[in-house]
Structure formats: C-alpha cells, structure tokens
Amino acid sequence: MLFLDELGEFAPAVLDGLRQPLEEGVIRLARARASASLPARFLLVAATNPCPCGGGAPGVCECDDGARLRYLRRLSGPLLDRFDLRVGVERPTVDDLLATGGGEPTVVVAQRVAAARRASLDRIGIMPSEIPPSRLDELAPLDPAARVRLREHLESDQLTGRGYHRVRRVARTLADLDGAAELVADEHVVMAMQMRVRLSVSSRVRAA
Amino acid sequence: MSPTTTTDLPAEAYVAALAGFRNMNVHRLSALLRHHPPEQAWAVALGEAPTHGLVARVLSDPYVRASWRTCAGERPPGEVWARCHELGLQVLPYGAPGYPACLLDDPLPPPVLFVRGNLGLLAGRRVAIVGTRNATAGGREASRSIGLGLAAAGVHVVSGLARGIDGCAHQGVLAAEGEGRPIGIVASGLDVVYPREHRDLWQATANCGLLISESPPGTAPEAHRFPLRNRIVAALSEAVVVVESRERGGSLLTAGDAVHRDITVMAVPGPVGRRASAGANALILDGAVPVTCADDVLTFLSFQHGHSAVLAADLRARPKGDDLAVYRELQRDPRTIDGVALVLGLSLVDAAMRLARLEVAGWVAQADGWFECVGSPLR
C-alpha cells in the first residue's frame, strides 16, 4: 500500500510515472543493456487539499481561481481518473474534535470487508477490482435502472471510458457489501458515482 | 534617437501610445495632456520638448523617463493607432466628443478611454453589479437574477467582467428579453481577454452592449489596474449593487469609489458568518441599501415596473418529501455527502440517492465534493 500525503505537492512527472504501474501492476525498467519487470501491485491512497489554502466550503476558500488552477494542474485528469474512489472530506467542527464517542471499530468494518470478499470469491472466483472490462456484463450485470443511470452519466460527459469500468467495479463491490445481490442496483451505481468527486477549477468556473 | 513622428497621425494616436507606457499612470498622463496638445505631450514625455515647472515636477523621476524612451521605441504611435483601428476601437481622450459626460467632473477622470460598442447606452439608466470572484452558488444566482431583472426593465448593467458575481450579472443581462444591455469595464487592453473563459461574454458585451478600458490594446491585466477599473464602474453608474464580497474584497473598493462620488451603494445581505457575504453585510451596517432582488433596486430608482413577468417558469420537477429536506439543508449551507448524511441522520446511500435525484433534476450541483443549490431558489 502506497500512501501519498499532499498529492498536490508532488512533481507532476512523479505522479504521472505512477500511471503505468497502477494500470498494469508491474514496473518496467529499461536501461541500455537490460530491461526488467518488477511486480508492483499496490493499493494507492492519496490525500490532498483542494487548493493552496486548504479550502473549505464554496465561498470560504482564500485562493483565486488562478492559484487553484496552478495547484490542481499537477493532478492530471488521467491520474485522477485512475482512482476508484475520490471522496470529499468536510473539515471537522469543534464539536467533532471534542466528541468522545469514536466511530465504528475497525474490527467490525474488517469483518464486513472480509464477508464481502468471500461473497465475491464464492460468486465469481475473483475480486470485483479484477474483473476485466470484457467480462463486466457477465460477472457484474446491472439491473435496468442502473444501466440507464450509467448511460446518462456517460452521455453527459461526467464519465470517461476508463471511469465507466471503474464505476462498475466499485458498484459491484458495494453490492457485495450490501449482501451480494445478483444484479448491481441503481443505488450502488449512484453511490459509486458519488464517490468520484469532480475535482477541478473548471467545474466552478463553468458553473459561474 | 527620435522615434517616428509622422505628422499625418491623428492626435488620439499619441494619447493612445502614451497611455500604454510602462510607469504611466492617471496623474502623469493627465498632467501631460492638460498642459500640452497630444503630439507635443509625446515630445515632452520623451524629453524632446520643454515643459512648465508643474508638469516637470510630476515627470521628474529619471528612471521613469528612461523607461518611457524605451516604450516609445517599442510601440510608436503609428503602431498603437493601427492596432486600435484594426480592433475597431474608438479612442476618446478626456473631453473629446463622445467622452462620457459623467466622467468629465469625476475626481479622477480617465485621461483616455478605449471603447467598443454603443456609447449611446450611457444616456440610459445604469446600475453596477459587482462582487467577489469567489462566489457561492447562491451569490451567482442572485447576481444573475438581478442582472436579468434590471435588463428586462430596461436598465443597463455595468460590471467588470470578472469571474464570479461580475460574469453572472452580465449572463443574466444577456438572457433577458428587454432593453437593458451589458456595459463592461475591464482592466486590460480590449484585445487581452481576462479571464480567458469569459471570451464569449466579452464578445457578446461588445456586440450588443459597450466595452470600455482605460488601457490601450496589448495591456496585460496587472493587479494594480483593477482598483482603478473599479472607479470607472462606480462613476458610470447611478447605483452600485454589491452582491457578495469578502470582508476586504475589491468590490468594497468599488463601493468606496461610489460613496466618494455620491453614488448610492446597495448590498445583498447574506447569512451571518458566511465569508462570501461578510463585506456586503458590513456595507449594510454602514448604511448601504439592502436589496434582495431586481425589484428592490428598481423601486429605489423609482422605476415604474410591472411584476417580474420576465422570469421564465421553472420547468424543473419540484423535489418531493425527503429530497426537499436535503434541498432545504443545502440552501442553508453547502455540504458534502457526509455532511448531508450526518446532519439529516441518513445513511450514506440514502443521502447519495437523494442528492442524485436533486442533481439530475437540476436543483443542486457538486464541485470538489461540495453540493450547492443552483438555479433560481425553490419557492
């Protein structure tokens, strides 16, 4: 597992170097006399502020669009597209920080994850993340409402081809967590889409 | 070395070229042009002609004079003039025929204006709409709807064509079916579109309204030019409406310019504690007229106006039951999906479904993980 904190502070070339191993699960080294392939299957987790000031709700951020643009330009579209989950996190309030009741214990969550993994293995023999694009319809079929929903997202350009495959795998995973229904339901697709936050200056500018 | 001074150039060519010098400013250019005819002012600026003591004092900095000589070589009047001509700009030195009457007795009148579009609009009723570039969706909507309402009532809308509030005001004007037109005052040269994503808006403003700059073509949108631009926005308006502004936003400078010129300042109030409205709320505390819609502004201008028949019927399906609760919450504050789930005590999936329905129907939009209400508010 590779955790990159402050993703926005890495040099763009370094980040784009991650694309190929992320996609293929191997690192290819080519030198003058030799080349080698090293196994590199890893889980990439990254955190970033949305802008130099740390951001916050719309209208709160200190940065002008130019500063945001320079900051976000480091995160290329193709790189962001390769994240299965992109989740926005609200800044904790004072009450949150002082609250003593913790969230759900990790043990409980781990049990749920283990159950979902077992369910997937029992059903199709592999993890949803390993389903090749060509077999998505066979191994992770959608119910009609979910199919319509995805078509709408694709037609409105909110989803790339690569993103489409990723959303389907995430939706299948959510279905497994939900008790392994045979078909992926609309709500799983919606949830998967909501976990692909659009991170851009242009979304705000275009909305302006 | 003397730069080309061809005698068949009009006087405006020299004014335009002088205005484009580095380290030229309103005071220096005004001093030059008040005491010398343009061609002579050009020679004085280059140190090739004598001048009076007063002008000499204003121009005494040797570093400035040196940079002017460089500029004169780089962009001679003939070249600047050809560029203005090519872009179809009118060049109006102070006091020239067509120079806006309301700027003649301004405390800091622009020595020259570069203009595209219909100057006749300045004879109509004019209200400025200004505000932060970093606007909330609610602020953008207010700006758009006030712009639309004013234009529908035949009032021209003056603004700075900046991102956020400014741009939305003019989008509203362009969407209106009325006599009101956009009047854009910009800080860069009229061939330097800034921000670039407003290219279409600039074009539309020049085509059906009026576009004005104090700077000649080729001038970059340098930071110091924006506060100066703001004074022209204020000076050309009968009232200035501040829609959203930070506690120290540039639109507060515009409001200050308006007060200085005895022009009414209005402000759209916002929630207490919301940063984007801090400046507007402070203005109201200082005595600005609170307004929430175009009708409020029109009432103040003692306009005869019918009810806002201009607002098109909202075709979006009204959110029902559970979705309405989410919409109302987002009207109070922008939220992430987690925030919506926590505040309303929903499961994540439930929150996701409701947000998706609202998004599809066009009531909310998401950017950077934040959901905000968009479009005209649900009544």
Side-chain angles (χ1 to χ4, degrees), chain B residues 237-258:
Chain B
S237 309
E238 296 171 66
V240 172
V241 181
V242 178
V243 176
E244 270 184 335
S245 172
R246 300 268 174 98
E247 60 277 21
R248 315 174 75 144
S251 24
L252 296 190
L253 297 177
T254 314
D257 288 328

Side-chain angles (χ1 to χ4, degrees), chain B residues 254-329:
Chain B
T254 314
D257 288 328
V259 170
H260 189 44
R261 287 165 175 78
D262 221 5
I263 289 163
T264 305
V265 175
M266 307 183 184
V268 176
V272 174
R274 182 181 285 180
R275 215 173 148 210
S277 286
N281 289 343
L283 283 174
I284 292 173
L285 201 61
D286 282 349
V289 181
V291 292
T292 59
C293 60
D295 281 2
D296 293 350
V297 180
L298 293 170
T299 307
F300 185 86
L301 293 175
S302 324
F303 243 56
Q304 296 291 325
H305 61 92
H307 285 288
S308 314
V310 292
L311 291 174
D314 206 325
L315 298 176
R316 296 173 291 182
R318 287 180 71 86
K320 289 194 268 304
D322 298 346
D323 297 355
L324 190 59
V326 173
Y327 181 81
R328 293 295 181 211
E329 178 55 34

